[in-house]
Amino acid sequence: YAPAVRPVYMRLPSEDKEEHDEGMVGRLNMSMYGTRDAAANWAAEYGRTLTEAGYVQGKYSPCIFHNSASDTAVMVHGDDFVGIGKPCELAKLRKVLEDKYKFKVEMLSGDSNDTKEVKTLNKIVRWTPNGLELEADPRHAELAIGEQGLEQASACRTAGVKASGNEGR
C-alpha cells in the first residue's frame, strides 16, 4: 500500500515477460515486500493515514499514535495494528483504515460477540473474567533452545548452580 519514493527497478518475472521484453526491467510504483525501503515507506503511509484522522504520532516511539479527542490509542508493528479505546471510537478507527487498506480485524473484549483470545505481535492475549492475560509465543523459547544446541540439556532451578541431588524434596 505504500508508494515507492525512490526509483526501484526489478527484473521482470518470467511469467510476465512478453515477446520483446528481453533485457527489460520494471520500475516499481508501489513498495514491494523485501525491498530495502519497503518498511520505511509503509510506516510513512500508515503514519499519514492516522495523523490525517486526528491521531498524534509518538515522539519517542513513532509506532504509537493517540487521539486525545476520542481517547483512543493505536500501536503499529509491521502490519499489525492494535487499537485500544471505546467500541464506538474503535469502529471509527476501523472505518478510517478500511477506507484505505484491506485487512482482517479481530475484536478482543468481554462482549459475547467478540473473541476471547487473539494472537498479535507473536503473543497470545486472552480476555478472562479477571482481566487480560499475556502469553509469550512458545516458539521463541524453542528457537532459542535450538539455536544454542540445548535440546537434550537438563533443566536446573537456578542458572549456574550445580544439582545437589536434593532437588524435589
Side-chain angles (χ1 to χ4, degrees), residues 75-121:
M75 181 204 54
V76 185
H77 181 80
D79 60 358
D80 287 340
F81 288 68
V82 178
I84 300 172
K86 295 176 183 171
C88 62
E89 298 300 335
L90 292 175
K92 292 176 190 173
L93 170 63
R94 181 177 179 169
K95 172 90 171 91
V96 164
L97 296 173
E98 281 180 334
D99 284 348
K100 288 198 80 174
Y101 314 118
K102 185 177 182 178
F103 62 97
K104 179 177 104 175
V105 174
E106 292 180 283
M107 297 290 288
L108 178 71
S109 80
D111 188 2
S112 60
N113 297 330
D114 293 338
T115 187
K116 302 298 175 242
E117 181 176 294
V118 296
K119 185 174 180 184
T120 185
L121 306 175

Short mmCIF file of all heavy atoms in Angstrom, two decimals, residues 75-121:
data_model
loop_
_atom_site.label_atom_id
_atom_site.label_comp_id
_atom_site.label_asym_id
_atom_site.label_seq_id
_atom_site.Cartn_x
_atom_site.Cartn_y
_atom_site.Cartn_z
N MET A 75 -1.21 1.12 18.39
CA MET A 75 0.18 0.71 18.30
C MET A 75 0.32 -0.07 17.00
O MET A 75 -0.53 -0.91 16.69
CB MET A 75 0.57 -0.18 19.47
CG MET A 75 2.02 -0.60 19.40
SD MET A 75 2.42 -2.11 20.26
CE MET A 75 1.29 -3.25 19.59
N VAL A 76 1.37 0.20 16.24
CA VAL A 76 1.59 -0.47 14.97
C VAL A 76 2.94 -1.16 15.00
O VAL A 76 3.95 -0.57 15.42
CB VAL A 76 1.55 0.53 13.79
CG1 VAL A 76 1.64 -0.20 12.46
CG2 VAL A 76 0.30 1.39 13.84
N HIS A 77 2.95 -2.41 14.58
CA HIS A 77 4.20 -3.16 14.44
C HIS A 77 4.12 -3.90 13.12
O HIS A 77 3.34 -4.85 12.99
CB HIS A 77 4.39 -4.14 15.60
CG HIS A 77 5.67 -4.91 15.51
ND1 HIS A 77 6.87 -4.38 15.89
CD2 HIS A 77 5.92 -6.15 15.06
CE1 HIS A 77 7.81 -5.29 15.69
NE2 HIS A 77 7.26 -6.36 15.18
N GLY A 78 4.87 -3.44 12.13
CA GLY A 78 4.78 -4.05 10.80
C GLY A 78 3.40 -3.82 10.22
O GLY A 78 3.00 -2.70 9.97
N ASP A 79 2.66 -4.92 10.06
CA ASP A 79 1.29 -4.78 9.55
C ASP A 79 0.25 -5.14 10.61
O ASP A 79 -0.90 -5.33 10.30
CB ASP A 79 1.09 -5.61 8.28
CG ASP A 79 1.33 -7.09 8.50
OD1 ASP A 79 1.70 -7.49 9.62
OD2 ASP A 79 1.15 -7.86 7.55
N ASP A 80 0.67 -5.21 11.87
CA ASP A 80 -0.25 -5.44 12.98
C ASP A 80 -0.61 -4.10 13.62
O ASP A 80 0.26 -3.35 14.04
CB ASP A 80 0.36 -6.34 14.06
CG ASP A 80 0.46 -7.79 13.64
OD1 ASP A 80 -0.25 -8.19 12.72
OD2 ASP A 80 1.25 -8.53 14.26
N PHE A 81 -1.91 -3.81 13.69
CA PHE A 81 -2.42 -2.61 14.36
C PHE A 81 -3.19 -3.07 15.58
O PHE A 81 -4.07 -3.92 15.47
CB PHE A 81 -3.39 -1.85 13.44
CG PHE A 81 -2.75 -1.13 12.29
CD1 PHE A 81 -2.18 -1.83 11.25
CD2 PHE A 81 -2.74 0.25 12.24
CE1 PHE A 81 -1.60 -1.18 10.18
CE2 PHE A 81 -2.17 0.92 11.17
CZ PHE A 81 -1.60 0.20 10.13
N VAL A 82 -2.87 -2.50 16.74
CA VAL A 82 -3.59 -2.81 17.96
C VAL A 82 -4.18 -1.51 18.48
O VAL A 82 -3.44 -0.58 18.81
CB VAL A 82 -2.68 -3.45 19.03
CG1 VAL A 82 -3.45 -3.73 20.31
CG2 VAL A 82 -2.05 -4.74 18.49
N GLY A 83 -5.52 -1.44 18.52
CA GLY A 83 -6.20 -0.24 18.98
C GLY A 83 -6.84 -0.48 20.33
O GLY A 83 -7.36 -1.56 20.62
N ILE A 84 -6.80 0.55 21.16
CA ILE A 84 -7.41 0.49 22.49
C ILE A 84 -8.30 1.71 22.65
O ILE A 84 -7.86 2.84 22.43
CB ILE A 84 -6.35 0.47 23.60
CG1 ILE A 84 -5.44 -0.75 23.44
CG2 ILE A 84 -7.00 0.48 24.97
CD1 ILE A 84 -4.26 -0.76 24.36
N GLY A 85 -9.57 1.46 23.00
CA GLY A 85 -10.49 2.57 23.19
C GLY A 85 -11.90 2.06 23.33
O GLY A 85 -12.15 0.86 23.38
N LYS A 86 -12.84 2.99 23.38
CA LYS A 86 -14.25 2.63 23.46
C LYS A 86 -14.68 2.01 22.14
O LYS A 86 -14.20 2.40 21.07
CB LYS A 86 -15.09 3.87 23.75
CG LYS A 86 -14.80 4.48 25.10
CD LYS A 86 -15.59 5.75 25.30
CE LYS A 86 -15.22 6.37 26.65
NZ LYS A 86 -15.78 7.70 26.81
N PRO A 87 -15.61 1.05 22.20
CA PRO A 87 -16.04 0.37 20.96
C PRO A 87 -16.48 1.32 19.85
O PRO A 87 -16.13 1.11 18.68
CB PRO A 87 -17.18 -0.52 21.42
CG PRO A 87 -16.87 -0.81 22.85
CD PRO A 87 -16.23 0.45 23.38
N CYS A 88 -17.21 2.38 20.18
CA CYS A 88 -17.67 3.31 19.14
C CYS A 88 -16.50 4.04 18.50
O CYS A 88 -16.50 4.31 17.29
CB CYS A 88 -18.70 4.29 19.70
SG CYS A 88 -18.07 5.35 21.02
N GLU A 89 -15.46 4.35 19.27
CA GLU A 89 -14.28 5.03 18.74
C GLU A 89 -13.42 4.07 17.92
O GLU A 89 -12.83 4.45 16.90
CB GLU A 89 -13.46 5.67 19.86
CG GLU A 89 -14.21 6.73 20.64
CD GLU A 89 -14.68 7.91 19.78
OE1 GLU A 89 -14.07 8.17 18.72
OE2 GLU A 89 -15.66 8.57 20.16
N LEU A 90 -13.35 2.82 18.36
CA LEU A 90 -12.61 1.83 17.58
C LEU A 90 -13.29 1.55 16.25
O LEU A 90 -12.63 1.28 15.25
CB LEU A 90 -12.44 0.53 18.38
CG LEU A 90 -11.52 0.63 19.60
CD1 LEU A 90 -11.54 -0.67 20.38
CD2 LEU A 90 -10.11 1.01 19.18
N ALA A 91 -14.62 1.65 16.23
CA ALA A 91 -15.35 1.49 14.96
C ALA A 91 -14.98 2.60 13.99
O ALA A 91 -14.84 2.37 12.78
CB ALA A 91 -16.85 1.47 15.22
N LYS A 92 -14.79 3.82 14.49
CA LYS A 92 -14.37 4.94 13.64
C LYS A 92 -12.96 4.70 13.10
O LYS A 92 -12.67 4.95 11.93
CB LYS A 92 -14.43 6.25 14.41
CG LYS A 92 -15.82 6.70 14.77
CD LYS A 92 -15.77 7.96 15.62
CE LYS A 92 -17.12 8.30 16.20
NZ LYS A 92 -17.05 9.42 17.15
N LEU A 93 -12.07 4.22 13.97
CA LEU A 93 -10.71 3.90 13.56
C LEU A 93 -10.72 2.82 12.48
O LEU A 93 -10.03 2.92 11.47
CB LEU A 93 -9.87 3.46 14.76
CG LEU A 93 -8.50 2.87 14.44
CD1 LEU A 93 -7.60 3.90 13.77
CD2 LEU A 93 -7.87 2.32 15.71
N ARG A 94 -11.54 1.82 12.71
CA ARG A 94 -11.65 0.72 11.73
C ARG A 94 -12.08 1.25 10.37
O ARG A 94 -11.54 0.87 9.34
CB ARG A 94 -12.63 -0.33 12.25
CG ARG A 94 -12.79 -1.51 11.34
CD ARG A 94 -13.71 -2.52 11.97
NE ARG A 94 -13.89 -3.66 11.10
CZ ARG A 94 -14.46 -4.79 11.46
NH1 ARG A 94 -14.92 -4.94 12.69
NH2 ARG A 94 -14.58 -5.77 10.61
N LYS A 95 -13.05 2.16 10.35
CA LYS A 95 -13.55 2.74 9.10
C LYS A 95 -12.44 3.51 8.39
O LYS A 95 -12.27 3.40 7.17
CB LYS A 95 -14.74 3.66 9.40
CG LYS A 95 -15.24 4.46 8.23
CD LYS A 95 -16.29 3.73 7.46
CE LYS A 95 -16.95 4.61 6.41
NZ LYS A 95 -16.34 4.56 5.11
N VAL A 96 -11.65 4.28 9.15
CA VAL A 96 -10.54 5.02 8.56
C VAL A 96 -9.58 4.07 7.86
O VAL A 96 -9.16 4.30 6.73
CB VAL A 96 -9.79 5.84 9.65
CG1 VAL A 96 -8.43 6.31 9.17
CG2 VAL A 96 -10.63 7.01 10.11
N LEU A 97 -9.24 2.97 8.53
CA LEU A 97 -8.29 2.02 7.97
C LEU A 97 -8.91 1.23 6.81
O LEU A 97 -8.25 0.99 5.79
CB LEU A 97 -7.78 1.08 9.05
CG LEU A 97 -6.96 1.76 10.17
CD1 LEU A 97 -6.64 0.77 11.27
CD2 LEU A 97 -5.70 2.40 9.60
N GLU A 98 -10.19 0.84 6.94
CA GLU A 98 -10.86 0.09 5.88
C GLU A 98 -11.04 0.92 4.61
O GLU A 98 -11.07 0.35 3.52
CB GLU A 98 -12.23 -0.42 6.34
CG GLU A 98 -12.16 -1.64 7.21
CD GLU A 98 -13.52 -2.12 7.67
OE1 GLU A 98 -14.47 -1.31 7.76
OE2 GLU A 98 -13.63 -3.32 7.96
N ASP A 99 -11.13 2.22 4.75
CA ASP A 99 -11.27 3.07 3.57
C ASP A 99 -10.00 3.08 2.72
O ASP A 99 -10.05 3.39 1.53
CB ASP A 99 -11.62 4.51 3.97
CG ASP A 99 -13.08 4.65 4.40
OD1 ASP A 99 -13.87 3.71 4.18
OD2 ASP A 99 -13.41 5.72 4.97
N LYS A 100 -8.85 2.73 3.33
CA LYS A 100 -7.59 2.76 2.58
C LYS A 100 -6.94 1.40 2.40
O LYS A 100 -6.21 1.20 1.43
CB LYS A 100 -6.60 3.67 3.32
CG LYS A 100 -6.96 5.13 3.19
CD LYS A 100 -5.81 6.02 3.50
CE LYS A 100 -4.89 6.10 2.31
NZ LYS A 100 -3.82 7.07 2.48
N TYR A 101 -7.18 0.47 3.32
CA TYR A 101 -6.44 -0.79 3.29
C TYR A 101 -7.38 -1.98 3.42
O TYR A 101 -8.47 -1.87 3.97
CB TYR A 101 -5.42 -0.85 4.45
CG TYR A 101 -4.61 0.41 4.61
CD1 TYR A 101 -4.68 1.16 5.77
CD2 TYR A 101 -3.78 0.85 3.59
CE1 TYR A 101 -3.93 2.32 5.92
CE2 TYR A 101 -3.03 2.01 3.73
CZ TYR A 101 -3.11 2.74 4.90
OH TYR A 101 -2.39 3.88 5.04
N LYS A 102 -6.90 -3.11 2.93
CA LYS A 102 -7.63 -4.37 3.09
C LYS A 102 -6.97 -5.12 4.24
O LYS A 102 -5.75 -5.34 4.22
CB LYS A 102 -7.52 -5.17 1.79
CG LYS A 102 -8.32 -6.42 1.78
CD LYS A 102 -8.20 -7.10 0.42
CE LYS A 102 -9.04 -8.35 0.40
NZ LYS A 102 -8.96 -8.99 -0.93
N PHE A 103 -7.75 -5.51 5.22
CA PHE A 103 -7.17 -6.18 6.38
C PHE A 103 -8.22 -6.99 7.12
O PHE A 103 -9.41 -6.88 6.87
CB PHE A 103 -6.51 -5.17 7.32
CG PHE A 103 -7.45 -4.16 7.91
CD1 PHE A 103 -7.98 -4.34 9.17
CD2 PHE A 103 -7.80 -3.02 7.20
CE1 PHE A 103 -8.85 -3.41 9.71
CE2 PHE A 103 -8.66 -2.08 7.72
CZ PHE A 103 -9.19 -2.27 8.99
N LYS A 104 -7.74 -7.78 8.06
CA LYS A 104 -8.60 -8.62 8.89
C LYS A 104 -8.64 -8.02 10.30
O LYS A 104 -7.64 -7.53 10.80
CB LYS A 104 -7.99 -10.03 8.94
CG LYS A 104 -8.76 -11.02 9.78
CD LYS A 104 -8.09 -12.38 9.70
CE LYS A 104 -7.35 -12.61 10.99
NZ LYS A 104 -6.74 -13.93 11.11
N VAL A 105 -9.82 -8.06 10.92
CA VAL A 105 -9.99 -7.48 12.25
C VAL A 105 -10.44 -8.56 13.22
O VAL A 105 -11.32 -9.36 12.92
CB VAL A 105 -11.05 -6.35 12.23
CG1 VAL A 105 -11.33 -5.84 13.64
CG2 VAL A 105 -10.61 -5.23 11.32
N GLU A 106 -9.81 -8.57 14.38
CA GLU A 106 -10.26 -9.41 15.49
C GLU A 106 -10.51 -8.49 16.67
O GLU A 106 -9.66 -7.66 17.00
CB GLU A 106 -9.20 -10.45 15.86
CG GLU A 106 -8.97 -11.50 14.80
CD GLU A 106 -7.92 -12.49 15.24
OE1 GLU A 106 -6.73 -12.14 15.17
OE2 GLU A 106 -8.29 -13.60 15.65
N MET A 107 -11.68 -8.64 17.28
CA MET A 107 -12.04 -7.80 18.43
C MET A 107 -11.91 -8.64 19.70
O MET A 107 -12.54 -9.69 19.82
CB MET A 107 -13.46 -7.28 18.29
CG MET A 107 -13.68 -6.38 17.10
SD MET A 107 -12.87 -4.79 17.24
CE MET A 107 -13.89 -4.01 18.46
N LEU A 108 -11.14 -8.16 20.63
CA LEU A 108 -10.94 -8.81 21.92
C LEU A 108 -11.67 -7.98 22.96
O LEU A 108 -11.35 -6.81 23.15
CB LEU A 108 -9.45 -8.89 22.24
CG LEU A 108 -9.06 -9.49 23.58
CD1 LEU A 108 -9.33 -10.99 23.58
CD2 LEU A 108 -7.60 -9.23 23.88
N SER A 109 -12.67 -8.59 23.61
CA SER A 109 -13.39 -7.86 24.66
C SER A 109 -14.25 -8.84 25.45
O SER A 109 -14.31 -10.03 25.13
CB SER A 109 -14.27 -6.76 24.07
OG SER A 109 -15.47 -7.28 23.56
N GLY A 110 -14.92 -8.31 26.44
CA GLY A 110 -15.84 -9.12 27.24
C GLY A 110 -17.19 -9.31 26.59
O GLY A 110 -18.03 -10.06 27.08
N ASP A 111 -17.42 -8.64 25.46
CA ASP A 111 -18.68 -8.77 24.73
C ASP A 111 -18.82 -10.20 24.21
O ASP A 111 -17.86 -10.77 23.69
CB ASP A 111 -18.70 -7.77 23.58
CG ASP A 111 -20.05 -7.70 22.88
OD1 ASP A 111 -20.99 -8.40 23.30
OD2 ASP A 111 -20.15 -6.93 21.90
N SER A 112 -20.00 -10.76 24.31
CA SER A 112 -20.21 -12.15 23.90
C SER A 112 -19.96 -12.36 22.41
O SER A 112 -19.66 -13.47 21.98
CB SER A 112 -21.62 -12.62 24.26
OG SER A 112 -22.57 -11.81 23.60
N ASN A 113 -20.06 -11.31 21.58
CA ASN A 113 -19.83 -11.43 20.14
C ASN A 113 -18.35 -11.41 19.77
O ASN A 113 -17.99 -11.80 18.67
CB ASN A 113 -20.53 -10.29 19.38
CG ASN A 113 -22.03 -10.35 19.55
OD1 ASN A 113 -22.60 -11.42 19.72
ND2 ASN A 113 -22.66 -9.19 19.54
N ASP A 114 -17.51 -10.95 20.67
CA ASP A 114 -16.08 -10.81 20.37
C ASP A 114 -15.30 -12.03 20.83
O ASP A 114 -15.73 -12.77 21.72
CB ASP A 114 -15.52 -9.55 21.02
CG ASP A 114 -16.10 -8.28 20.42
OD1 ASP A 114 -16.58 -8.33 19.27
OD2 ASP A 114 -16.08 -7.24 21.10
N THR A 115 -14.13 -12.18 20.23
CA THR A 115 -13.27 -13.31 20.59
C THR A 115 -12.64 -13.08 21.96
O THR A 115 -12.52 -11.94 22.42
CB THR A 115 -12.19 -13.52 19.51
OG1 THR A 115 -11.48 -14.70 19.80
CG2 THR A 115 -11.22 -12.36 19.44
N LYS A 116 -12.25 -14.14 22.59
CA LYS A 116 -11.65 -14.06 23.92
C LYS A 116 -10.14 -14.28 23.86
O LYS A 116 -9.46 -14.20 24.88
CB LYS A 116 -12.27 -15.11 24.87
CG LYS A 116 -13.77 -14.96 25.02
CD LYS A 116 -14.13 -13.62 25.62
CE LYS A 116 -15.61 -13.42 25.67
NZ LYS A 116 -16.07 -12.31 24.90
N GLU A 117 -9.60 -14.58 22.66
CA GLU A 117 -8.17 -14.81 22.54
C GLU A 117 -7.71 -14.40 21.15
O GLU A 117 -8.32 -14.76 20.16
CB GLU A 117 -7.86 -16.30 22.77
CG GLU A 117 -6.40 -16.65 22.70
CD GLU A 117 -6.15 -18.11 23.03
OE1 GLU A 117 -6.38 -18.52 24.18
OE2 GLU A 117 -5.73 -18.84 22.11
N VAL A 118 -6.65 -13.59 21.09
CA VAL A 118 -6.07 -13.20 19.81
C VAL A 118 -4.56 -13.37 19.88
O VAL A 118 -3.97 -13.35 20.96
CB VAL A 118 -6.39 -11.72 19.43
CG1 VAL A 118 -7.88 -11.53 19.22
CG2 VAL A 118 -5.85 -10.76 20.46
N LYS A 119 -3.96 -13.55 18.73
CA LYS A 119 -2.51 -13.60 18.64
C LYS A 119 -2.07 -12.35 17.90
O LYS A 119 -2.51 -12.08 16.79
CB LYS A 119 -2.05 -14.85 17.89
CG LYS A 119 -0.55 -14.99 17.87
CD LYS A 119 -0.12 -16.30 17.25
CE LYS A 119 1.39 -16.37 17.26
NZ LYS A 119 1.88 -17.55 16.59
N THR A 120 -1.22 -11.58 18.56
CA THR A 120 -0.69 -10.37 17.94
C THR A 120 0.73 -10.16 18.43
O THR A 120 1.04 -10.44 19.59
CB THR A 120 -1.57 -9.13 18.25
OG1 THR A 120 -1.05 -8.02 17.52
CG2 THR A 120 -1.64 -8.81 19.71
N LEU A 121 1.57 -9.71 17.53
CA LEU A 121 2.97 -9.45 17.86
C LEU A 121 3.64 -10.67 18.48
O LEU A 121 4.42 -10.56 19.42
CB LEU A 121 3.08 -8.24 18.79
CG LEU A 121 2.39 -6.97 18.29
CD1 LEU A 121 2.45 -5.88 19.33
CD2 LEU A 121 3.00 -6.50 16.99
#
